[in-house]
Amino acid sequence: ASHRDIGAGRVYITEYPDMTRSDDGAYCTTAIRQHFLATLVGFSLTELQWADLTVAARLNREVAGAAGLHGWTYVGGIYGDFRTHGYCAAGRFVVRAHESFLIQGGIQGIAHPNNAGAARIALRIGQALEGDLYPLGRNGPPRAPAGRGTVMADAGL
């Protein structure tokens, strides 16, 4: 099967998370002073705001735009889910530098979602899939395999 065999609406693309904030939603500058492992070395408040308000915001606009342009399913809510679970949060959804070294033996895993973050992203994707596969809700019949939006007349149950 080639990529042409998959309908555009069956492509799911997720927004980028917000990794710049602590448990209370403030930028990670205050937590940096409280615990050295939560430190984002070399990042000032201005840089964290830029990463959030410029970089992440633009990435998410581009992802949403690409989804709309190509007919993909945009999976949102992830940015907001991470808002109080960033790099410096006690309840973080993000791999810190020391964790990346301990788990992977290098820096490559830094700022990627950890298990809790990946689970939250999976939940959002699952919600989007459920809405696509069961357009009339969980108790309704599934949509027909041939196309989006068409509901099977008889689920065969």
Side-chain angles (χ1 to χ4, degrees), residues 37-144:
L37 292 177
T39 301
L40 284 163
V41 177
F43 282 88
S44 67
L45 174 60
T46 302
E47 290 167 321
L48 290 170
Q49 289 172 328
W50 174 79
D52 177 28
L53 302 174
T54 303
V55 177
R58 182 165 183 192
L59 279 171
N60 286 330
R61 280 193 308 273
E62 293 295 326
V63 168
L69 179 66
H70 298 290
W72 301 336
T73 300
Y74 179 76
V75 180
I78 295 166
Y79 176 88
D81 288 345
F82 277 67
R83 191 155 192 89
T84 56
H85 298 281
Y87 190 91
C88 61
R92 66 192 169 282
F93 288 172
V94 181
V95 175
R96 290 183 180 162
H98 73 283
E99 294 167 325
S100 181
F101 277 102
L102 289 172
I103 296 167
Q104 292 183 215
I107 197 77
Q108 292 78 16
I110 189 172
H112 284 82
N114 62 16
N115 288 342
R120 184 57 60 102
I121 293 169
L123 176 69
R124 290 292 183 176
I125 294 169
Q127 290 168 339
L129 280 168
E130 184 177 307
D132 182 25
L133 296 172
Y134 294 91
L136 300 178
R138 286 183 182 185
N139 296 324
R143 70 163 167 73

Side-chain angles (χ1 to χ4, degrees), residues 18 23 33 38 98 105 133 140 155:
D18 179 4
D23 300 285
R33 293 186 198 99
H98 73 283
L133 296 172

